[in-house]
Amino acid sequence: MKKITWCPGCGNFGILRAFKNTIKRLVEEGHEVGKFVVASGIGCHGKIADYIELPSFHVIHGRVIPFLTGLKLANPELVAIGFAGDGDQYNEGLDHLIHAARRNVNITVFVHNNGVFGLTTGQFTATTPKGKVTRTTPRGNPEIPLNPVMLALVSGATFVARGYAGKLNQLEEIMYKAILHEGFSFVDILQPCVSFNDTWSYYNKKVVSVEKPAKSLEEAMKIASSNEIYTGIIYEERRETLEEFLKIK
């Protein structure tokens, strides 16, 4: 493995630790380690593929989901797991998220959402708050931010969750259940960027846990659109996967 080069205090450390613990738990329960395959996109988050001992791929900007979809259709026995950044997934790769949710392909996507393009030194992304001053918005971001959880819900994702890099036990449980879910699993992970968007103090005060998934899509939409910042598994349902429809599983 390569030397970790993330900034000290980066939220990516928590995500990496939670993922390693999750894989360890799954292997201890009998899952074959060689069947886990990871893809990561472009950005600081993308380095995670260098820091784990699993078959891993770096893919081009915004293309984590189509890569994993092809991988899964070619070999449905593999456990396909993706890591993307907010700029990577919600800007360059936004349409892939929508269509993967509609198809319910059996893959898992973790999005490191720090609300900024960190690797390229702080440009605004689709989840940057309106009014925030960044290197490309010196007068403040003029756009309202995307709500990734609401987008995943209305697009048809069958597992929708929000995690926080500062709540490791909860994040590990979310990752564990997301990977085991049969269908498209989407997890937006709040990940402070200490260099260009340090939100540790803000999230530590604002994040609230949901105790259990919503009983209906309507209830999940209310949670997702709340002024509170809820973390946990927000919605889960069982629906025919793309592989089952194609009869390749």
Side-chain angles (χ1 to χ4, degrees):
M1 289 187 291
K2 295 182 180 179
K3 179 182 178 183
I4 295 179
T5 58
W6 289 326
C7 301
C10 175
N12 283 326
F13 284 100
I15 298 173
L16 174 62
R17 180 178 172 185
F19 182 66
K20 284 185 173 181
N21 288 343
T22 300
I23 294 298
K24 180 181 178 182
R25 177 180 175 184
L26 289 166
V27 171
E28 288 174 348
E29 291 178 352
H31 295 270
E32 188 176 336
V33 68
K35 290 188 176 179
F36 295 103
V37 181
V38 166
S40 64
I42 300 299
C44 292
H45 81 278
K47 299 176 183 177
I48 199 168
D50 295 330
Y51 307 148
I52 51 179
E53 295 182 274
L54 293 173
S56 302
F57 299 85
H58 277 302
V59 301
I60 60 177
H61 217 176
R63 301 298 181 263
V64 168
I65 288 178
F67 177 86
L68 292 179
T69 300
L71 187 79
K72 190 68 179 177
L73 294 181
N75 187 348
E77 296 302 315
L78 297 177
V79 181
I81 303 167
F83 293 89
D86 52 299
D88 186 45
Q89 189 62 70
Y90 304 143
N91 287 89
E92 278 80 3
L94 182 62
D95 55 337
H96 299 300
L97 170 62
I98 296 169
H99 297 302
R102 290 174 49 237
R103 295 172 183 134
N104 200 30
V105 58
N106 188 14
I107 63 176
T108 300
V109 177
F110 300 120
V111 181
H112 303 222
N113 183 1
N114 57 20
V116 73
F117 281 105
L119 187 65
T120 48
T121 69
Q123 297 86 354
F124 79 115
T125 71
T127 54
T128 302
K130 184 176 182 178
K132 183 172 179 58
V133 174
T134 73
R135 291 199 173 186
T136 46
T137 55
R139 297 181 181 177
N141 176 21
E143 303 175 359
I144 59 172
L146 182 74
N147 185 325
V149 173
M150 286 192 69
L151 179 65
L153 288 170
V154 299
S155 298
T158 53
F159 184 102
V160 179
R162 181 190 287 129
Y164 172 39
K167 295 176 73 173
L168 292 188
N169 290 340
Q170 184 191 51
L171 183 57
E172 288 178 23
E173 191 66 16
I174 291 172
M175 286 182 159
Y176 174 79
K177 291 182 177 177
I179 292 171
L180 292 180
H181 175 75
E182 290 284 331
F184 182 67
S185 299
F186 166 80
V187 184
D188 180 71
I189 305 175
L190 305 173
Q191 178 248 309
C193 170
V194 292
S195 295
F196 301 105
N197 193 20
D198 191 347
T199 50
W200 281 116
S201 297
Y202 176 75
Y203 286 141
N204 285 339
K205 295 176 182 175
K206 295 289 291 184
V207 162
V208 180
S209 297
V210 292
E211 298 302 323
K212 52 187 177 182
K215 296 179 180 178
S216 67
L217 182 59
E218 290 74 19
E219 183 181 338
M221 292 289 288
K222 289 181 180 178
I223 294 172
S225 60
S226 169
N227 289 329
E228 301 287 349
I229 303 176
Y230 285 106
T231 59
I233 300 172
I234 294 172
Y235 185 69
E236 185 173 14
E237 68 167 319
R238 180 70 172 95
R239 195 176 82 229
E240 182 183 50
T241 66
L242 178 63
E243 301 93 297
E244 289 168 340
F245 176 78
L246 297 174
K247 302 186 186 309
I248 59 174
K249 180 181 178 183

